[in-house]
């Protein structure tokens, strides 16, 4: 249960980091001053001052923010959000959604790398000489399925399902 909660918070934190990172990147590319980049809300847990921006991690992992002067009205800062053109401001706002999309693509890539992709059929990859599979005529490249078929000794291991009515052996179908 605790592991599930920790992993959920970690994944949510990753989504927040990517989203807010998109806003930050586009703000910096458009030379907009970012006063603070925060992951989380509420009281500050840790933080440090970068060259221009203060970076912080906050207690409640329910969001984050990029604090830019001029977001809520006019500011005195020469590089405030309000001093930039409409297309520049639109890019900063769009950056969060764009990075959410990029994160989704990256997570799908990682998932497919870890879990693989479905295959329609299993094929025999190796048959060792002198073993029961070789004696039964199984060859490399044959399709394999755990449905009814040839009987092989139990010593071959658990690569198929036990078939009723086949004694102590395993029933495996192997065909070209």
């Amino acid at each position: 249960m605790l592991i599930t909660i920790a992993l959920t918070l970690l994944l949510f934190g990753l989504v927040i980091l990517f989203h807010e990172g998109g806003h930050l990147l586009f703000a910096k590319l458009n030379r907009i001053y970012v006063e603070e980049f925060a992951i989380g809300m509420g009281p500050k847990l840790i933080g440090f001052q970068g060259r221009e921006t203060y970076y912080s991690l906050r207690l409640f992992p329910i969001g984050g923010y990029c604090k830019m002067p001029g977001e809520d009205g006019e500011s005195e800062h020469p590089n405030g959000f309000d001093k930039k053109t409409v297309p520049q401001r639109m890019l900063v706002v769009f950056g969060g959604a764009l990075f959410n999309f990029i994160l989704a693509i990256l997570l799908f890539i990682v998932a497919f790398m870890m879990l693989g992709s479905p295959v329609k059929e299993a094929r025999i990859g190796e048959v060792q000489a002198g073993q029961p599979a070789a004696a039964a005529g199984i060859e490399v490249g044959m399709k394999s399925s755990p449905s009814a078929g040839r009987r092989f000794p139990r010593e071959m291991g658990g690569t198929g399902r036990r078939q009723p009515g086949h004694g102590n052996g395993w029933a495996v179908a192997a065909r070209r």
Side-chain angles (χ1 to χ4, degrees), residues 66-102:
C66 285
K67 185 176 178 184
M68 296 173 270
E71 277 185 290
D72 299 328
E74 292 195 22
S75 73
E76 300 298 320
H77 199 284
N79 290 325
F81 186 77
D82 61 320
K83 303 289 191 281
K84 299 300 176 174
T85 65
V86 171
Q88 288 175 313
R89 288 182 285 178
M90 287 175 63
L91 275 173
V92 173
V93 172
F94 175 70
L98 175 65
F99 271 54
N100 283 352
F101 186 72
I102 291 169

Side-chain angles (χ1 to χ4, degrees), residues 3 9 21 30 35-36 39 68 77 79 96 98 100 107 114 120 126 131 133-134 139-140 142 146 161 163 167 176:
I3 291 175
L9 291 175
N30 286 291
E35 187 177 325
E36 183 177 0
I39 301 300
M68 296 173 270
H77 199 284
N79 290 325
L98 175 65
N100 283 352
L107 290 176
M114 290 175 61
K120 293 181 181 178
E126 179 183 356
Q131 296 298 315
E139 298 172 1
V140 172
M142 293 178 98
R161 287 191 306 238
Q163 300 295 317
R176 290 191 191 278

Side-chain angles (χ1 to χ4, degrees), residues 27-88:
K28 296 285 187 175
L29 288 175
N30 286 291
R31 291 182 168 70
I32 296 174
Y33 174 71
V34 179
E35 187 177 325
E36 183 177 0
F37 174 81
I39 301 300
M41 300 288 187
K44 178 181 64 174
L45 296 175
I46 57 171
F48 68 93
Q49 180 65 47
R51 274 188 278 154
E52 182 179 76
T53 303
Y54 185 78
Y55 299 88
S56 65
L57 180 64
R58 298 187 171 259
L59 181 61
F60 304 113
I62 56 172
Y65 59 89
C66 285
K67 185 176 178 184
M68 296 173 270
E71 277 185 290
D72 299 328
E74 292 195 22
S75 73
E76 300 298 320
H77 199 284
N79 290 325
F81 186 77
D82 61 320
K83 303 289 191 281
K84 299 300 176 174
T85 65
V86 171
Q88 288 175 313

Side-chain angles (χ1 to χ4, degrees), residues 115-135:
L115 303 174
S117 58
V119 293
K120 293 181 181 178
E121 59 194 18
R123 292 200 173 260
I124 305 296
E126 179 183 356
V127 179
Q128 296 179 354
Q131 296 298 315

Side-chain angles (χ1 to χ4, degrees), residues 132 152-162 168-172:
F152 297 103
R154 186 179 174 121
E155 303 87 57
M156 286 185 64
T159 57
R161 287 191 306 238
R162 210 154 165 70
N168 290 333
W170 291 86
V172 176

Side-chain angles (χ1 to χ4, degrees), residues 103-118:
L103 177 62
I105 290 170
L106 291 174
L107 290 176
F108 272 110
I109 290 170
V110 169
F112 278 111
M113 287 173 61
M114 290 175 61
L115 303 174
S117 58

